[in-house]
Amino acid sequence: MQAVLTAEEMTEFLAEVFPQVKEDFVVESVDGVNTVMRLKVAERHLRPGGTVSGPSMFSLADVSAYVATLARIGKEALTVTTGCSMDFMRKPEAGKDLIAHTTLLKLGRTLSVSNILIYSEGSDAPVARANMTYAIPPK
Amino acid sequence: MQAVLTAEEMTEFLAEVFPQVKEDFVVESVDGVNTVMRLKVAERHLRPGGTVSGPSMFSLADVSAYVATLARIGKEALTVTTGCSMDFMRKPEAGKDLIAHTTLLKLGRTLSVSNILIYSEGSDAPVARANMTYAIPPK
Amino acid sequence: MQAVLTAEEMTEFLAEVFPQVKEDFVVESVDGVNTVMRLKVAERHLRPGGTVSGPSMFSLADVSAYVATLARIGKEALTVTTGCSMDFMRKPEAGKDLIAHTTLLKLGRTLSVSNILIYSEGSDAPVARANMTYAIPPK
Amino acid sequence: MQAVLTAEEMTEFLAEVFPQVKEDFVVESVDGVNTVMRLKVAERHLRPGGTVSGPSMFSLADVSAYVATLARIGKEALTVTTGCSMDFMRKPEAGKDLIAHTTLLKLGRTLSVSNILIYSEGSDAPVARANMTYAIPPK
């Protein structure tokens, strides 16, 4: 259950496959089971009132589960989201990045399942929870 | 079970509260129960390969449920998403807008629940399904 | 998109593979896309106060999606639930059966996805919504 | 964030409000945030082949989130499930009890949100994950 890619390799790979969001995300750490990612919150992620938008949090959860899966199976760009659910529990703090802690619960032959908790940096009360299922392309 | 806002009023209100996405969405029709919205698919919504990104589909489902709820309760900008789940079932067709058909299943005192089916324009096989729960601010 | 099993054949097959619940469910109708099932509500399905329990509604949604899938692929008993989400929206009416209306949204090679709406018999306001994903065994 | 009820008090309260399932569940431990519950797996929970049924796992997740919530707010029997999602990831081991580890992620004025992981006793690979939302009755 070890990662086959480092955080640096994952960051480079993300920039290559998702060039339009490469300014948004940083892979903070990655091992075979746990992944930590940062959303560098900028104006374009905000709703009026200064809160981070739902779609921005969805993106963070989605890319986190993608990274958690690829950390184990390698650079399979065609791994795609098939399902998710999210609960939005607290208002993110204005002016703080969001940090996502992801646990890879299952890596099967055709599917991976991840749990994600999202926090405003420096807080220990989660702003959102998510679970994501990815379909892994056949070899 | 009648709408208190027209499609035109909803479109104007969206432009006011979500100025950053006003180019993206069109309210095609709205009554007290069913809402149809269009995502005008542009370069910024795409993944490499030409498919619409998951976060763009999430945005469409999210704003559709918001519109479906506000059509009944009026301009309550602070109505916020509390939960959702989605399944991504087919690859959207390249170069086609996405059309979301939303049914408001419940409008309670504190929560609304909506079902959403998303199609590539002109196709009758849904590319994604979603359900969204919104919290309604107390009067 | 036609059913390969009739409602009668499905009812018999359920009694064979799930003998412990054969008194609970009736397949009212089945075609390739839409399925209607009845939960014959009995004492064992109730919570104090006379409302149908959450697990009983989950069972109804689960077996409905199973029937909707098998109606198309035939008697594949090893088709198993991989994911679901549900919203419980209204209290079921005491003394009424529950009726589940299921739409098969996708039947892929390895997964099926269904939407389910559950009603108290005779009412048109749904008591619950669900979506269910089933994994289909490889041929 | 301390529990207001002990594991023994919760077990007694469950037996009182859900007499029909009092043989099924044991509250192993409870504090203000984490709850451990056991499903004493018996014949009635099984599917042919010896695996625990989906509805039995749903019941375990559901009652676990109920206990996690009531541990903080006290004996509010009318606290009801409003939403959930589950992923079924592995086949439970035959002849083993199921153990659910629940984390209360949010306790608001009107809603609680919990994450649940379910294991076959003695295994550290989860058989299922769930999240549950409960509505808390107004004071």
Side-chain angles (χ1 to χ4, degrees):
Chain A
M1 312 236 289
Q2 253 187 302
V4 299
L5 295 170
T6 64
E8 291 68 34
E9 288 168 328
M10 278 298 329
T11 300
E12 269 170 44
F13 183 66
L14 285 182
E16 196 181 297
V17 292
F18 303 133
Q20 69 277 49
V21 294
K22 75 175 168 186
E23 306 301 325
D24 288 2
F25 300 113
V26 180
V27 183
E28 300 264 314
S29 72
V30 58
D31 65 27
V33 176
N34 299 293
T35 299
V36 180
M37 295 216 34
R38 171 186 301 266
L39 173 66
K40 293 192 286 181
V41 173
E43 192 59 30
R44 67 186 169 282
H45 304 118
L46 301 183
R47 286 279 189 252
T51 192
V52 181
S53 74
S56 299
M57 287 191 265
F58 175 89
S59 292
L60 175 58
D62 192 28
V63 76
S64 293
Y66 182 77
V67 165
T69 303
L70 266 56
R72 286 277 286 284
I73 64 171
K75 298 178 181 177
E76 297 279 358
L78 296 182
T79 300
V80 294
T81 316
T82 56
C84 74
S85 93
M86 288 192 79
D87 292 289
F88 301 94
M89 300 184 289
R90 295 175 180 88
K91 207 175 148 157
E93 290 175 41
K96 300 271 185 175
D97 283 354
L98 289 183
I99 311 292
H101 290 257
T102 299
T103 307
L104 187 65
L105 297 177
K106 185 190 177 184
L107 179 66
R109 203 173 39 82
T110 59
L111 288 176
S112 78
V113 180
S114 299
N115 255 352
I116 301 107
L117 288 172
I118 299 178
Y119 300 85
S120 286
E121 187 168 25
S123 165
D124 59 5
V127 298
R129 62 149 293 284
N131 53 282
M132 290 271 166
T133 302
Y134 268 81
I136 298 169
K139 295 284 173 187
Chain B
M1 312 237 288
Q2 252 187 303
V4 299
L5 295 170
T6 64
E8 292 68 32
E9 287 168 328
M10 278 299 327
T11 299
E12 270 172 42
F13 183 65
L14 285 182
E16 196 181 298
V17 293
F18 302 134
Q20 71 276 48
V21 294
K22 74 175 168 185
E23 307 301 325
D24 289 0
F25 299 113
V26 179
V27 184
E28 301 264 313
S29 71
V30 58
D31 65 28
V33 175
N34 299 294
T35 298
V36 180
M37 294 214 38
R38 173 187 299 266
L39 174 66
K40 293 192 288 181
V41 173
E43 191 60 30
R44 66 186 169 282
H45 304 117
L46 300 183
R47 288 277 189 255
T51 192
V52 181
S53 73
S56 298
M57 287 192 265
F58 175 91
S59 292
L60 175 57
D62 192 26
V63 76
S64 293
Y66 182 78
V67 165
T69 303
L70 266 57
R72 286 277 286 283
I73 65 171
K75 298 178 180 177
E76 298 278 358
L78 296 181
T79 300
V80 294
T81 315
T82 57
C84 74
S85 93
M86 287 191 81
D87 291 288
F88 300 94
M89 300 184 289
R90 295 175 180 88
K91 206 175 150 158
E93 289 175 43
K96 299 272 185 175
D97 283 353
L98 290 183
I99 311 292
H101 290 257
T102 300
T103 308
L104 186 65
L105 297 177
K106 185 192 177 183
L107 179 67
R109 204 172 39 82
T110 60
L111 288 176
S112 78
V113 180
S114 299
N115 254 354
I116 300 106
L117 288 172
I118 299 178
Y119 300 85
S120 287
E121 187 168 25
S123 164
D124 59 3
V127 297
R129 59 147 296 282
N131 53 282
M132 290 271 166
T133 303
Y134 267 80
I136 298 168
K139 295 282 173 188
Chain C
M1 311 236 288
Q2 253 186 302
V4 299
L5 294 171
T6 64
E8 291 67 34
E9 286 168 329
M10 278 300 328
T11 300
E12 269 171 44
F13 183 65
L14 285 182
E16 195 181 300
V17 292
F18 302 134
Q20 69 278 49
V21 295
K22 76 175 167 185
E23 307 302 325
D24 289 1
F25 299 113
V26 180
V27 183
E28 300 263 315
S29 71
V30 58
D31 65 28
V33 176
N34 300 293
T35 299
V36 181
M37 294 214 37
R38 172 187 300 266
L39 174 66
K40 294 191 286 180
V41 173
E43 191 60 30
R44 67 187 170 282
H45 304 118
L46 302 183
R47 287 278 189 253
T51 192
V52 180
S53 74
S56 298
M57 287 191 267
F58 175 90
S59 293
L60 175 58
D62 192 27
V63 76
S64 292
Y66 182 78
V67 165
T69 304
L70 267 55
R72 286 276 286 283
I73 65 171
K75 299 178 181 177
E76 296 278 359
L78 296 181
T79 300
V80 293
T81 315
T82 56
C84 74
S85 94
M86 286 191 81
D87 291 288
F88 300 94
M89 300 185 288
R90 295 175 180 88
K91 207 175 148 157
E93 290 175 40
K96 300 270 185 177
D97 282 354
L98 290 183
I99 310 293
H101 290 257
T102 299
T103 308
L104 187 66
L105 297 177
K106 185 191 177 184
L107 178 67
R109 203 174 37 83
T110 60
L111 287 176
S112 77
V113 180
S114 299
N115 255 352
I116 301 107
L117 288 172
I118 299 178
Y119 301 85
S120 287
E121 187 168 24
S123 164
D124 59 3
V127 298
R129 61 146 296 282
N131 53 282
M132 291 271 165
T133 303
Y134 268 81
I136 298 168
K139 296 283 172 188
Chain D
M1 311 237 289
Q2 253 187 302
V4 299
L5 294 171
T6 64
E8 291 69 32
E9 287 169 328
M10 278 300 326
T11 300
E12 269 171 45
F13 183 65
L14 285 182
E16 197 181 298
V17 292
F18 302 133
Q20 70 277 47
V21 293
K22 76 176 168 185
E23 307 301 324
D24 289 1
F25 300 113
V26 179
V27 184
E28 300 264 313
S29 71
V30 57
D31 65 27
V33 176
N34 299 293
T35 299
V36 180
M37 293 214 37
R38 172 187 299 266
L39 174 66
K40 294 192 286 181
V41 173
E43 192 59 30
R44 67 186 169 282
H45 305 117
L46 301 183
R47 287 276 189 256
T51 192
V52 181
S53 73
S56 298
M57 287 192 265
F58 175 90
S59 292
L60 175 58
D62 192 28
V63 76
S64 292
Y66 182 78
V67 165
T69 304
L70 266 55
R72 286 278 284 286
I73 65 172
K75 297 177 182 178
E76 298 277 0
L78 296 182
T79 300
V80 294
T81 316
T82 56
C84 74
S85 94
M86 287 191 80
D87 291 290
F88 300 93
M89 300 184 289
R90 295 176 180 88
K91 206 175 147 155
E93 290 175 42
K96 300 271 185 177
D97 283 353
L98 290 182
I99 310 292
H101 290 256
T102 300
T103 307
L104 187 66
L105 296 177
K106 184 191 179 185
L107 179 66
R109 202 173 39 82
T110 59
L111 287 177
S112 77
V113 180
S114 299
N115 255 352
I116 300 106
L117 289 171
I118 298 177
Y119 300 86
S120 286
E121 187 168 25
S123 165
D124 59 4
V127 297
R129 62 149 293 284
N131 53 282
M132 289 272 166
T133 303
Y134 267 81
I136 298 168
K139 295 284 174 188

